[in-house]
Amino acid sequence: MSLGRFYFYSDVLHSSQMVSIALQEPKILLNQEPSEMEILYLLHGAQGSSHSWPSSSNVERFLYESERNMMIVMPTMKTNYYQDHKIGDRYYTYVAEELPKYIESLFNVTHKRENTYVAGLSMGGYGAMKLALRNPEKFCFGASFSGAVDMRKLVKNRIDDNPRYRPMFGSYEEFENSEDDLEYLLERNVKEGRPLPKLYVSCGTADGLLDSSIYFADKAKSLGYEVKLHKEKMLGHGWRFWDLEVEKLIRTLI
Amino acid sequence: MAVLELTYRSHVLDFDQNLLVMFPDPSGLKLSESDKGTDFEFPVLYLLHGYSDDHTSWLRRSSVERYLTEDLKKPLVIVCPSVQNSFYSDMVYGWKYFKYLTEEVPELLKRWIKISTRREDTFVAGLSMGGYGAYKLAFTYPERFSIAASFSGALDLAESGRGNPDKDVKCSDVFGMKRSETDGTEFDLKVMLQKAVDSGKELPKFYLSCGTKDPLYRIDLGFRDLMEKKGIKVNYSETEGLAHEWKFWDQEIEKFLKVLPLKSLEEIRR
């Protein structure tokens, strides 16, 4: 099991950033022919960090067991919704542009579409869908576990109550039909004839976000996306579920 | 600052090992300025730690990372491995650290990171035991390295054990004998030097430095003389008044980075 902690100074965020990186184990890797690494961006939920996935799940071991030559990149987002704030820092630009470009400069990845995936939990589910749907030419696959994928509802309900929402999203009117609005992106890609990433949407049946996941998956399906919706019986919004999901993800990725 | 600290299960050693890699920052690669490709081939400096140290020592006790990201205008990747107290050797009673460092680490780096494997882009330097290690790598694989540097290197193993019974028996598991008995054995740098000379291969350029208050000062001077006697040019430098200490190594790594023949960002773009 190989895990790296990567610190660097981001020009976009003008601050030091930390990213966790999981790589295939030498024993497996050195017995394979050299090949280009696949790359999975794995996004954490609200209040999390680049430590969340490595410490709360078995992601490192699942990668090892899969024997895939893959690099898993886990950035830190705090509670910034993978969003270029209307007032504040440009977290989307960091995670969707600067980070991949930097990773590609240093590591043996080329971000070929068929080798490039993104997945995330909760807030990171929204982030993963946003990355995949805003850049359908770059990602062949996006996955949301217990994702905040019905952001229209969330923004509408919270914009006046949660003091962080206005600086982040502006007003509801600004959010709707913008490139941060997943429903808009779903439609835009179809309308413009863009390639459609495969989508995976899952949620525990004891999770309050279940309806959002079903709503989002149904909408994507009705627009012609290849979507798999999975409902996990009894499980709620927690790591027992996400650990199961990330194992499945690494094992079954295209 | 850009630092990657990796932990993995080494295939050769069969236990978890750490490796620290320093990179240029996004600004150093001018990523925001251009839409040009990102296919680089970075030159590499293997930077070796001393006795009692590990892969983090250079980062923590010197300012090498700042010299790399702020002072150096040309890109370079610095790799700091960890070999415990093995003298960069395949231990007689223990683990194969030399094999680990010369076979596994370069192969892993090549698979993971966009490094150049060309001789002209590959350098090695180290302090104390790491100076011994740097020269050992350079004498054993002169075709891989174009420059090798020793700062306060433990360049004469046997001599450094003599008259110091305590030190003499440390690392007996590495050498299979006392340190003072290693003359003429495979652990003797003088033997490796002779082999390298006899091979007729082009040898790397050598940098050798020591503080005048360092207990190894005489030994390092002697080794420099020996190399010169064999017709090898040594770029030698000493600092008056400095001992076996980080003040000296911090100064040396700053100096050394400046003299490396590095290529510009445009030149390392593939």
Side-chain angles (χ1 to χ4, degrees):
Chain A
M1 292 156 246
S2 311
L3 187 70
R5 308 283 194 201
F6 186 31
Y7 305 81
F8 64 95
Y9 185 84
S10 156
D11 273 352
V12 168
L13 295 176
H14 5 264
S15 65
S16 281
Q17 290 298 309
M18 187 169 118
V19 173
S20 291
I21 292 175
L23 295 161
Q24 186 49 267
E25 192 76 328
K27 187 170 80 180
I28 308 277
L29 192 63
L30 299 177
N31 280 321
Q32 294 174 353
E33 285 299 307
S35 62
E36 191 179 297
M37 288 187 277
E38 303 173 87
I39 186 160
L40 166 65
Y41 291 87
L42 190 56
L43 310 181
H44 67 74
Q47 289 124 13
S49 74
S50 61
H51 288 292
S52 305
W53 277 107
S55 49
S56 300
S57 82
N58 291 293
V59 58
E60 204 189 329
R61 176 166 56 84
F62 297 146
L63 175 59
Y64 167 62
E65 289 166 355
S66 77
E67 302 197 0
R68 304 177 79 125
N69 183 16
M70 182 190 280
M71 177 175 194
I72 303 181
V73 177
M74 296 161 273
T76 295
M77 194 41 57
K78 295 183 190 157
T79 309
N80 290 308
Y81 279 85
Y82 305 88
Q83 171 77 10
D84 280 353
H85 291 198
K86 298 295 170 208
I87 301 166
D89 284 319
R90 295 182 300 148
Y91 291 94
Y92 173 81
T93 305
Y94 162 68
V95 79
E97 289 173 25
E98 185 185 36
L99 180 64
K101 209 170 171 190
Y102 189 43
I103 291 283
E104 191 178 301
S105 301
L106 305 181
F107 298 95
N108 274 328
V109 289
T110 53
H111 289 106
K112 270 202 207 95
R113 185 175 189 268
E114 69 262 30
N115 289 338
T116 307
Y117 326 105
V118 58
L121 70 90
S122 196
M123 175 188 86
Y126 165 70
M129 287 301 154
K130 182 153 82 172
L131 257 70
L133 294 171
R134 230 163 120 164
N135 308 283
E137 294 82 4
K138 291 187 182 160
F139 293 93
C140 69
F141 180 84
S144 158
F145 314 139
S146 321
V149 283
D150 188 2
M151 280 297 284
R152 280 186 182 175
K153 206 165 77 189
L154 217 61
V155 172
K156 198 178 250 169
N157 291 345
R158 289 190 185 169
I159 197 94
D160 292 320
D161 304 336
N162 187 323
R164 292 184 47 79
Y165 267 55
R166 241 176 230 291
M168 226 164 8
F169 297 108
S171 62
Y172 178 75
E173 288 67 32
E174 268 177 275
F175 175 79
E176 196 182 6
N177 292 321
S178 75
E179 290 201 309
D180 300 313
D181 176 2
L182 298 183
E183 294 184 53
Y184 163 78
L185 293 172
L186 281 175
E187 288 164 4
R188 179 201 70 174
N189 292 339
V190 173
K191 231 179 272 167
E192 294 179 2
R194 306 255 194 125
L196 305 183
K198 284 189 186 171
L199 303 178
Y200 176 86
V201 182
S202 71
C203 201
T205 58
D207 188 324
L209 289 170
L210 180 64
D211 289 344
S212 298
S213 292
I214 296 172
Y215 172 80
F216 178 78
D218 286 350
K219 173 139 194 180
K221 219 174 274 177
S222 73
L223 286 164
Y225 285 80
E226 194 183 327
V227 188
K228 182 158 192 271
L229 173 67
H230 171 70
K231 292 174 254 181
E232 185 76 35
K233 285 213 179 73
M234 307 299 285
L235 287 186
H237 206 73
W239 282 101
R240 259 188 71 196
F241 176 53
W242 301 324
D243 193 44
L244 283 177
E245 289 300 274
V246 77
E247 178 176 20
K248 253 192 323 200
L249 173 79
I250 293 169
R251 225 183 323 121
T252 59
L253 273 172
I254 308 142
Chain B
M1 80 152 237
V3 176
L4 170 68
E5 188 176 1
L6 270 174
T7 305
Y8 50 82
R9 178 69 47 90
S10 157
H11 191 25
V12 168
L13 299 172
D14 199 26
F15 58 80
D16 279 3
Q17 267 293 52
N18 296 307
L19 189 74
L20 193 140
V21 188
M22 297 176 222
F23 295 102
D25 271 315
S27 62
L29 300 177
K30 300 196 169 30
L31 291 186
S32 55
E33 280 178 25
S34 71
D35 297 324
K36 286 182 188 162
T38 50
D39 212 2
F40 296 109
E41 219 175 22
F42 293 99
V44 185
L45 168 63
Y46 290 88
L47 189 56
L48 310 184
H49 68 77
Y51 193 86
S52 312
D53 284 348
D54 70 7
H55 60 290
T56 64
S57 302
W58 273 107
L59 181 76
R60 285 159 43 219
R61 297 177 194 273
S62 82
S63 296
V64 57
E65 203 276 327
R66 172 163 54 86
Y67 306 141
L68 174 69
T69 49
E70 288 183 18
D71 302 352
L72 213 58
K73 298 296 173 220
K74 291 174 177 172
L76 172 69
V77 166
I78 298 182
V79 175
C80 299
S82 180
V83 302
Q84 285 71 40
N85 289 337
S86 70
F87 273 83
Y88 299 87
S89 299
D90 289 343
M91 299 170 68
V92 172
Y93 303 109
W95 293 271
K96 295 186 183 313
Y97 284 100
F98 188 72
K99 185 177 160 124
Y100 164 68
L101 188 62
T102 55
E103 293 179 24
E104 183 169 9
V105 170
E107 185 60 28
L108 288 174
L109 289 173
K110 204 167 72 186
R111 300 231 185 176
W112 287 334
I113 298 170
K114 287 184 171 161
I115 55 162
S116 163
T117 49
R118 275 196 295 269
R119 183 177 189 265
E120 70 202 61
D121 297 325
T122 311
F123 319 110
V124 61
L127 72 90
S128 196
M129 179 185 85
Y132 169 89
Y135 277 17
K136 181 171 179 152
L137 260 67
F139 293 150
T140 314
Y141 295 108
E143 66 279 9
R144 290 193 192 175
F145 301 96
S146 57
I147 297 184
S150 158
F151 315 132
S152 325
L155 301 178
D156 191 332
L157 264 191
E159 186 58 33
S160 67
R162 280 181 204 122
N164 190 341
D166 220 29
K167 199 171 166 187
D168 202 20
V169 293
K170 275 185 190 155
C171 305
S172 295
D173 52 346
V174 175
F175 309 122
M177 62 192 98
K178 286 182 183 171
R179 198 187 284 205
S180 57
E181 296 165 351
T182 54
D183 260 339
T185 70
E186 57 172 314
F187 299 106
D188 185 349
L189 266 191
K190 300 187 287 297
V191 171
M192 298 179 228
L193 164 66
Q194 191 57 48
K195 264 196 194 151
V197 171
D198 293 345
S199 74
K201 290 178 185 165
E202 187 190 348
L203 298 187
K205 290 184 176 158
F206 290 96
Y207 179 88
L208 195 158
S209 70
C210 201
T212 60
K213 288 260 166 65
D214 192 315
L216 294 174
Y217 178 57
R218 295 268 148 230
I219 285 176
D220 278 13
L221 272 184
F223 201 82
R224 176 203 62 180
D225 293 345
L226 178 71
M227 288 174 79
E228 287 182 341
K229 215 184 292 169
K230 307 270 177 206
I232 300 167
K233 229 183 100 193
V234 180
N235 183 356
Y236 173 77
S237 156
E238 63 180 44
T239 302
E240 189 60 41
L242 288 188
H244 208 67
E245 56 185 326
W246 277 100
K247 195 175 165 190
F248 179 64
W249 302 321
D250 184 48
Q251 159 200 306
E252 287 302 298
I253 191 62
E254 182 177 18
K255 251 167 48 182
F256 183 65
L257 289 180
K258 283 186 190 146
V259 302
L260 284 177
L262 299 175
K263 297 167 177 168
S264 71
L265 190 59
E266 284 316 308
E267 285 166 329
I268 66 159
R269 218 185 273 281
R270 270 194 285 215

